Amino acid sequence: MRKNDYIELKKFSAKIRIEILKMLKWRRYGHLGGSMSIVELLSVLYGKQMDIDPNNPKKEVRDYFVLSKGHAGPALYSTLALKGFFDKELLYTLNEIGTNLPSHPDRLKTPGVDVTTGSLGQGTSLAAGLAYTLRLENSDKKVYLICGDGELNEGQVWEAFQFIAHKKLNEVIVFIDNNKMQLDGNTEDIINPFDIKKKMEAFGFYTQEIDGHDESKIDEAIENAKKVKDKAVCIILDTVKGQGFPYFYNTPANHSPKFNKEVDEETDKVIKELENFISENGGM
């Protein structure tokens, strides 16, 4: 990746984080931790990799995105707003009665949302169905699927993985956000996932494990996955829950925190640092 492209993606990541934090600070609560851990992936997908059109979200020939860990909706909404799928002011309606931005993505409400998700595990099956449809249509488009590591507790995920691997559906690229925490604590304490890479390989996936906060490594891994023709493909992202917000590192409280005066102050600090980074690298 060229240095200029890398900087632009880093700036896009910073902008996504800023919008997430502004939105949640306004709402006074929300799914912060799992949203912040997938920012760099969303930056690469929507900033470089995906064939999408904000002016025609449902165009017939396009790539598809499935956020199976639907509680990370704030990250997706921020990304879509920044790409022009809808006005950024809509972000401040998150979770309101009658909003088009519900807590978890709804394809019937939000422009740019391809699949309704929220019940953990189900997005994987939906992504498998989309990918199989692309196979039957001889399409060269992709489905990009994000699963959470806590979500791997769901048996439905593994049933879908088995189908994807059996059919060698490389039309879908599976991303696992391995931020090592879930709602109630550390994943290894709730239900130990053991070695996720070995498990995916045993299921028949070509599997890469990378730094999930390095845009260049994410982009390279996606390019590698696209070259695989005879296997299902998976990219495991080594991430930090709440990435970019040190105040919330290593605490279960980062899953969906309530905002108070102290959190507001920390939020403002992070936003200022991100804005300074953008300014120092050529501005918005």
Side-chain angles (χ1 to χ4, degrees):
M1 181 184 294
R2 295 181 305 175
K3 183 178 180 180
N4 287 346
D5 293 336
Y6 177 70
I7 293 297
E8 287 304 309
L9 288 176
K10 293 299 292 185
K11 287 164 59 179
F12 190 29
S13 297
K15 293 174 188 177
I16 296 170
R17 280 202 169 84
I18 288 171
E19 296 304 327
I20 293 170
L21 294 175
K22 286 182 176 179
M23 175 175 25
L24 297 186
K25 181 184 175 185
W26 171 266
R27 182 51 49 207
R28 310 307 295 159
Y29 68 92
H31 288 102
L32 183 146
S35 292
M36 298 286 267
S37 63
I38 63 171
V39 165
E40 282 78 11
L41 174 58
L42 290 172
S43 178
V44 174
L45 290 179
Y46 283 87
K48 184 176 185 292
Q49 285 286 345
M50 290 180 64
D51 179 7
I52 53 174
D53 183 359
N55 295 315
N56 184 15
K58 296 188 180 298
K59 71 173 183 175
E60 187 171 349
V61 180
R62 69 184 193 275
D63 290 325
Y64 293 85
F65 175 77
V66 181
L67 183 64
S68 194
K69 46 172 283 181
H71 56 278
L76 176 58
Y77 298 152
S78 297
T79 305
L80 293 174
L82 287 164
K83 289 298 293 184
F85 282 88
F86 51 82
D87 193 288
K88 284 199 297 183
E89 289 302 310
L90 194 63
L91 295 175
Y92 297 98
T93 70
L94 176 74
N95 291 353
E96 287 184 358
I97 295 174
T99 183
N100 285 322
L101 300 183
S103 178
H104 297 65
D106 186 329
R107 70 179 184 85
L108 300 179
K109 293 182 179 293
T110 313
V113 171
D114 293 316
V115 174
T116 300
T117 56
S119 298
L120 294 177
Q122 293 183 2
T124 309
S125 295
L126 293 166
L130 278 171
Y132 196 47
T133 300
L134 293 177
R135 167 74 59 84
L136 295 175
E137 293 176 345
N138 294 313
S139 174
D140 62 353
K141 297 306 173 186
K142 295 288 184 184
V143 180
Y144 296 92
L145 164 70
I146 301 182
C147 301
D149 53 352
E151 186 179 7
L152 299 185
N153 294 355
E154 299 286 350
Q156 182 172 352
V157 169
W158 297 98
E159 293 177 11
F161 286 166
Q162 190 169 357
F163 175 81
I164 291 169
H166 174 71
K167 295 293 185 180
K168 300 179 180 179
L169 289 177
N170 45 42
E171 287 83 359
V172 57
I173 298 180
V174 177
F175 297 93
I176 297 176
D177 178 28
N178 186 27
N179 63 34
K180 296 161 281 293
M181 298 185 73
Q182 57 192 93
L183 174 63
D184 297 323
N186 298 324
T187 52
E188 65 178 14
D189 297 327
I190 307 301
I191 296 181
N192 195 336
F194 297 99
D195 191 322
I196 298 174
K197 185 172 187 289
K198 287 183 179 179
K199 288 168 78 170
M200 296 304 291
E201 289 174 339
F203 263 65
F205 282 75
Y206 170 78
T207 307
Q208 304 170 79
E209 193 166 15
I210 62 168
D211 179 350
H213 298 307
D214 185 324
E215 290 88 348
S216 63
K217 286 185 170 59
I218 295 170
D219 184 62
E220 181 182 4
I222 292 171
E223 291 298 329
N224 290 339
K226 286 181 174 180
K227 295 173 185 175
V228 177
K229 302 301 181 185
D230 60 346
K231 273 190 172 185
V233 292
C234 172
I235 300 172
I236 301 170
L237 305 170
D238 182 12
T239 60
V240 174
K241 194 165 186 177
Q243 172 68 14
F245 202 151
Y247 178 84
F248 278 118
Y249 289 175
N250 302 317
T251 170
N254 67 12
H255 185 80
S256 184
K258 304 293 189 295
F259 279 64
N260 53 35
K261 183 178 179 181
E262 185 177 1
V263 175
D264 286 347
E265 291 174 353
E266 294 297 324
T267 300
D268 290 341
K269 288 179 185 177
V270 173
I271 291 174
K272 185 62 176 177
E273 290 172 358
L274 292 168
E275 289 175 339
N276 287 341
F277 171 79
I278 294 170
S279 178
E280 291 165 1
N281 286 278
M284 302 297 283

